Amino acid sequence: MSSIKIELRQEDITKIREICDSFNKDPQELINILHSCQEHFGYLPAEVQEVISAETGVPVAKIYGVVTFYSFFTMTPKGKHPISICMGTACYVRGAEKVLDEFKKELGLQVGQTTKDGKFSLSSLRCVGACGLAPVVLIGDKTYGRVAPDDVKNILKEYE
Amino acid sequence: METIKLTIDNKEVEVEKGTTILNAAKKLGIDIPTLCYLHLDDLNIENKPGGCRICVAEIQGRRNLAPTCSTKCEDGMVVKTHTTRVLNARRTVMEFILSDHPKECLVCAKSGNCELQDMAHRLGIREIPGAEYAAVSTYKFDTSPSIKRNLDKCIMCRRCEMMCNEVQTVGALSAVNRGFMAAVAPAFEQNLEHSTCTYCGQCVAVCPTGALTEVDNTPDVLRALADPSKTVVVQTAPAVRAALGEAFGLEPGTLVTGKMVAALKALGFDYVFDTDFAADLTIMEEGTELLDRITRHLKGDKTARLPILTSCCPGWVNFFEEYFPDLKDVPSTAKSPQQMFGAIAKTYFADKIKIDRKDMVVVSIMPCLAKKYECQREEFSVDGNRDVDFSLSTRELAAFIKQANIDLHSLEDMDFDAPLGESTGAGVIFGTTGGVIEAACRTAYEIYTGKKLDRLDFTELRGFEGVRAATIDFDGLKLNIGIAHGLGNARKLLNDVRSGNSQFHAIEVMACPGGCIGGGGQPLHLGNSEILKARAAAIYNEDRKKPLRKSHENPFIIKLYEEFLEKPNSEKAHHLLHTRYFDKKKKIIVKQ
């Protein structure tokens, strides 16, 4: 028997069921179901995967296999202020990696992780279409352009 | 049937459209080496993820080498299976696989019986270039009551995943993560113990390396044998005698009952008994329960649920507790023969030889890995003392015999000890699919009708189709019998029971394809159904040779009821020989 306790609020269970129903609980639609659930919850914790499994009949091991295969899916909740650093070609050649390293150092995080207080999460992405501003950093909806490693401290201060 | 012609290694061959190059080559007698590929011929299932790339060949006009296990033949194709390019590619692929594989062959449980090792030998690998620089992935080691997982040795052939999902529909294992971190694991990479695993062991039975192996209980047994204060009693399941010989080079289907008994005595067991005795006892209890339920049902008693399901297979019990807990009052409450044996050995027999149950160690030799878990279930022990202390697989027994310098071939046949070694042919056929229900029919018929059966071979219940149905005429009462082997097939019958569409009065289920003869603890047959058929034939052969072939005629069973249990389904029998089942399905808890 699984040691994972599937404990969720009723409204969350209802929401997952609604999403599964909207795809007729079709196992073939698993990826779409996962997309919708991640859109709603922000991430795909074990509990959510368990409920999807119960609804669709797809073994939870298979669901976990899909979630861990596609890098778009995440099992870690995003922070209140999700930080994305563009690693597209333009940003990369203008020093995005150094900027990313600075964020990692300041927050003590690796890419894909979230701070313990849930405030910041760190991710990298490929090209946001603002190459003129390279290197680009997104925090939530806000865009920062021509970011240098030295700016990182000040940027983070805005969110204190 | 549309056929096409192609040339493989300068030989022309005509095959059905859709045939893979690998199978076309086989037709020509060309044995292309394969590693991840597995063909379960009786189930018509092929594992061909095309993942390992060992089976590659050169196809004229194509730039890349093609994996022959998953490339279909085309008309006029010209294939070469052993060019320099092909041989070099195979060797390189193998070197890559080995660079991420522990070099532990000397101490690996699978050594000598390992497909990876054999392949390295066949391909003439003599060094692993760059092995000293290569990072070797490391995973968490996982052990459960039955199965050990050492994923460092996994080569991602995904055979186990296919067995677990397609054949058994258990869904405990799946490929997870990607690249270097890829593995086959339960959800959230939890331990097997915390997954939906039923311990059927079919994953272990197909693993080409030492990644999945049984928990080795031989040291525990050795310790018990060395302890002078312990009386060590052993019981052997019916399917073991039909397969043990294979581990000693004998043809599949060679019965080694007498030699197995002699070997166990030579190993130092104080009493060598037969699980078949307990199988006869199971028939008495389960058969009586079957007749009771049917009679009550016919009288309109709504509490008598039908069909009754057999309950001797521990993988099957785990399966319905996990997936069909709403039906947990449907299976017979009779314990499995292994556990009935333990319960009788540690009460009736311990009293007979005047020892305390704590001074008796009961060992079982089983074709099964789920039996290891079953004997550890809490409800099967008294004050922490298990009814069956340890369960060894057929493979472990074979290894044990070899370790003790016992030459099985030269042993004189010996008989099981009395009284728990006496059995009928009905007990023997428990080892193959359809056998339990056939044994039950032999006894239930005579008890129900009061007449003697004129034929004992219920051939309509035999065979290898995954789901079988037959109607047995009990002197006017037509009993519809269902049989399923392999958990995927069982699921089909169970879905009908759940929806109320089942026409059966009784259903026999065995978790492993073929029944116990194809158990997860048997010498590996790797999907070759000819081996299973030979084992089944051996079992029916032993049944035919037995002077008594109906459980209720076993004189020691009759005596056991007279002296100890009173009658089948008596209060005492219920206490010792019956069990209950648990709801193990995960629950969704609403957070307040």
Side-chain angles (χ1 to χ4, degrees):
Chain A
M1 206 173 8
S2 175
S3 62
I4 290 209
K5 239 188 174 172
I6 320 171
E7 215 173 333
L8 283 166
R9 290 177 305 173
Q10 187 56 51
E11 58 200 85
D12 294 338
I13 299 171
T14 312
K15 183 68 198 175
I16 302 167
R17 285 187 180 148
E18 269 172 31
I19 291 171
C20 291
D21 285 343
S22 72
F23 291 100
N24 297 321
K25 302 185 182 192
D26 183 357
Q28 304 275 330
E29 295 284 356
L30 177 62
I31 289 186
N32 285 326
I33 293 171
L34 290 170
H35 267 293
S36 297
C37 286
Q38 181 158 299
E39 208 168 287
H40 179 78
F41 294 101
Y43 69 119
L44 294 167
E47 295 85 346
V48 171
Q49 296 180 41
E50 294 272 13
V51 179
I52 296 172
S53 168
E55 290 296 301
T56 59
V58 179
V60 68
K62 285 270 169 201
I63 296 179
Y64 177 73
V66 171
V67 169
T68 52
F69 185 85
Y70 293 105
S71 56
F72 177 82
F73 295 126
T74 173
M75 286 183 65
T76 340
K78 285 232 168 91
K80 195 176 161 204
H81 307 293
I83 305 170
S84 306
I85 290 110
C86 180
M87 298 290 273
T89 314
C91 292
Y92 191 85
V93 297
R94 298 197 62 171
E97 199 177 13
K98 289 205 176 78
V99 177
L100 176 61
D101 286 344
E102 196 61 25
F103 274 107
K104 283 184 187 169
K105 205 176 84 191
E106 282 299 316
L107 297 168
L109 291 182
Q110 290 300 319
V111 170
Q113 291 180 334
T114 303
T115 49
K116 281 207 183 82
D117 58 7
K119 203 165 171 189
F120 295 106
S121 56
L122 195 58
S123 65
S124 69
L125 45 79
R126 302 261 176 243
C127 198
V128 291
C131 306
L133 295 174
V136 176
V137 171
L138 298 172
I139 301 186
D141 294 334
K142 200 168 171 189
T143 310
Y144 297 83
R146 304 215 173 92
V147 182
D150 289 346
D151 302 335
V152 168
K153 261 197 190 118
N154 286 330
I155 292 174
L156 288 173
K157 266 196 190 131
E158 290 177 33
Y159 297 90
E160 269 171 12
Chain B
M1 184 181 80
E2 203 182 331
T3 61
I4 44 177
K5 277 185 189 162
L6 70 156
T7 312
I8 306 176
D9 292 346
N10 302 321
K11 286 181 211 155
E12 202 166 87
V13 62
E14 191 170 348
V15 293
E16 201 179 321
K17 203 178 171 197
T19 308
T20 60
I21 299 176
L22 180 73
N23 287 331
K26 242 177 231 162
K27 224 178 149 187
L28 285 170
I30 300 167
D31 175 26
I32 300 174
T34 58
L35 192 55
C36 66
Y37 176 81
L38 181 72
H39 181 206
L40 306 172
D41 55 9
D42 55 331
L43 301 172
N44 209 13
I45 288 181
E46 278 186 306
N47 181 56
K48 44 179 183 183
C52 76
R53 250 54 195 180
I54 287 289
C55 69
V56 288
E58 215 170 328
I59 300 171
Q60 205 172 69
R62 287 201 192 175
R63 200 161 56 90
N64 294 329
L65 298 177
T68 55
C69 72
S70 51
T71 307
K72 285 179 183 151
C73 297
E74 283 168 25
D75 207 29
M77 212 179 220
V78 178
V79 182
K80 294 222 177 347
T81 73
H82 57 82
T83 61
T84 311
R85 188 178 165 210
V86 167
L87 295 186
N88 280 337
R90 277 189 199 138
R91 211 171 291 129
T92 306
V93 163
M94 195 62 189
E95 284 165 3
F96 273 126
I97 294 173
L98 293 178
S99 73
D100 186 28
H101 192 85
K103 291 29 166 208
E104 288 175 6
C105 288
L106 280 175
V107 290
C108 179
K110 212 54 183 293
S111 193
N113 206 1
C114 170
E115 290 177 62
L116 185 69
Q117 193 180 47
D118 291 348
M119 189 57 65
H121 184 69
R122 177 168 172 183
L123 299 182
I125 308 289
R126 290 293 170 266
E127 56 178 339
I128 304 159
E132 60 274 37
Y133 316 110
V136 175
S137 8
T138 48
Y139 301 90
K140 167 179 88 162
F141 187 77
D142 173 22
T143 186
S144 66
S146 296
I147 296 167
K148 285 199 286 192
R149 291 166 65 238
N150 183 350
L151 292 184
D152 291 345
K153 294 181 183 170
C154 173
I155 55 166
M156 288 303 284
C157 69
R158 301 174 70 172
R159 289 180 185 178
C160 54
E161 188 188 354
M162 177 203 63
M163 286 313 276
C164 193
N165 290 276
E166 283 175 51
V167 179
Q168 301 294 61
T169 67
V170 167
L173 294 174
S174 173
V176 303
N177 297 324
R178 4 184 359 161
F180 211 50
M181 285 314 294
V184 176
F188 318 120
E189 286 153 81
Q190 292 198 84
N191 291 340
L192 217 47
E193 215 174 338
H194 297 134
S195 74
T196 54
C197 177
T198 62
Y199 301 128
C200 73
Q202 286 300 314
C203 55
V204 177
V206 296
C207 181
T209 72
L212 296 170
T213 51
E214 65 269 38
V215 170
D216 184 4
N217 289 112
T218 325
D220 304 308
V221 174
L222 199 54
R223 214 169 293 130
L225 288 170
D227 185 343
S229 70
K230 302 283 185 203
T231 300
V232 190
V233 173
V234 66
Q235 52 163 324
T236 64
V240 177
R241 66 206 66 184
L244 180 68
E246 291 166 33
F248 295 88
L250 297 171
E251 280 296 308
T254 313
L255 272 179
V256 291
T257 319
K259 292 189 190 305
M260 173 183 72
V261 174
L264 289 166
K265 290 194 174 168
L267 283 170
F269 288 97
D270 297 300
Y271 294 92
V272 180
F273 289 142
D274 201 351
T275 313
D276 294 14
F277 173 85
D280 280 336
L281 191 55
T282 304
I283 288 302
M284 298 305 289
E285 293 297 321
E286 202 171 293
T288 308
E289 195 186 349
L290 165 78
L291 285 178
D292 172 61
R293 268 212 231 171
I294 290 175
T295 336
R296 284 196 293 131
H297 186 83
L298 291 176
K299 282 183 188 152
D301 182 350
K302 291 268 185 300
T303 60
R305 280 188 79 170
L306 287 181
I308 187 167
L309 307 170
T310 58
S311 57
C312 3
C313 169
W316 156 234
V317 169
N318 293 340
F319 185 75
F320 75 69
E321 285 184 331
E322 180 77 42
Y323 285 101
F324 295 90
D326 48 318
L327 301 178
K328 70 181 162 64
D329 58 338
V330 181
S332 160
T333 57
K335 284 182 188 174
S336 71
Q338 166 177 276
Q339 293 309 134
M340 282 202 185
F341 181 95
I344 293 297
K346 287 207 175 174
T347 53
Y348 173 77
F349 185 65
D351 288 349
K352 278 238 143 165
I353 58 170
K354 297 187 175 62
I355 63 167
D356 191 89
R357 68 174 284 142
K358 290 198 173 60
D359 295 322
M360 180 184 279
V361 174
V362 174
V363 177
S364 70
I365 312 293
M366 293 283 147
C368 179
L369 300 187
K371 289 285 175 196
K372 288 176 185 284
Y373 165 78
E374 185 188 44
C375 74
Q376 295 178 36
R377 289 177 82 122
E378 268 176 37
E379 63 270 28
F380 295 146
S381 64
V382 176
D383 301 328
N385 180 271
R386 293 183 198 160
D387 289 347
V388 175
D389 294 87
F390 307 110
S391 176
L392 300 185
S393 66
T394 311
R395 291 193 296 270
E396 285 167 88
L397 175 63
F400 197 7
I401 292 171
K402 287 173 187 172
Q403 279 167 35
N405 317 322
I406 295 167
D407 175 23
L408 191 83
H409 305 285
S410 62
L411 290 174
E412 290 285 335
D413 284 6
M414 289 177 88
D415 284 329
F416 286 109
D417 292 316
L420 308 184
E422 300 295 331
S423 68
T424 69
V428 177
I429 58 174
F430 262 60
T432 182
T433 167
V436 173
I437 209 78
E438 179 171 343
C441 282
R442 290 180 190 174
T443 288
Y445 180 92
E446 295 205 347
I447 292 177
Y448 180 76
T449 62
K451 294 179 184 170
K452 256 209 151 11
L453 262 179
D454 37 351
R455 64 171 187 127
L456 289 177
D457 293 329
F458 288 88
T459 43
E460 60 270 51
L461 298 172
R462 300 181 183 182
F464 274 95
E465 299 90 271
V467 176
R468 306 197 291 287
T471 304
I472 307 287
D473 189 350
F474 272 39
D475 210 18
L477 170 67
K478 301 235 187 291
L479 271 194
N480 296 329
I481 310 277
I483 296 166
H485 57 122
L487 290 171
N489 294 320
R491 184 187 281 277
K492 291 178 201 157
L493 291 187
L494 260 278
N495 281 335
D496 287 346
V497 174
R498 184 180 263 165
S499 61
N501 292 327
S502 182
Q503 299 304 315
F504 296 116
H505 295 103
I507 298 176
E508 177 203 286
V509 179
M510 293 295 151
C512 293
C516 308
I517 49 167
Q522 293 278 62
L524 309 181
H525 62 81
L526 300 174
N528 181 351
S529 66
E530 292 309 313
I531 296 178
L532 288 184
K533 283 174 192 153
R535 290 177 188 169
I539 284 200
Y540 287 122
N541 201 12
E542 175 138 314
D543 166 37
R544 255 192 313 276
K545 285 191 307 196
K546 286 264 186 181
L548 295 173
R549 298 178 62 194
K550 289 171 277 188
S551 298
H552 58 287
E553 290 180 353
N554 182 336
F556 288 90
I557 292 283
I558 297 168
K559 198 170 155 203
L560 180 68
Y561 279 108
E562 277 171 9
E563 282 183 7
F564 188 62
L565 294 168
E566 295 159 34
K567 60 182 184 30
N569 291 9
S570 69
E571 208 182 311
K572 192 161 194 180
H574 251 281
H575 174 66
L576 285 172
L577 307 178
H578 289 254
T579 184
R580 63 209 162 91
Y581 307 109
F582 302 88
D583 179 352
K584 293 190 177 167
K585 199 184 173 84
K586 271 175 280 182
K587 302 281 177 301
I588 296 171
I589 304 161
V590 178
K591 199 154 47 176
Q592 297 305 327

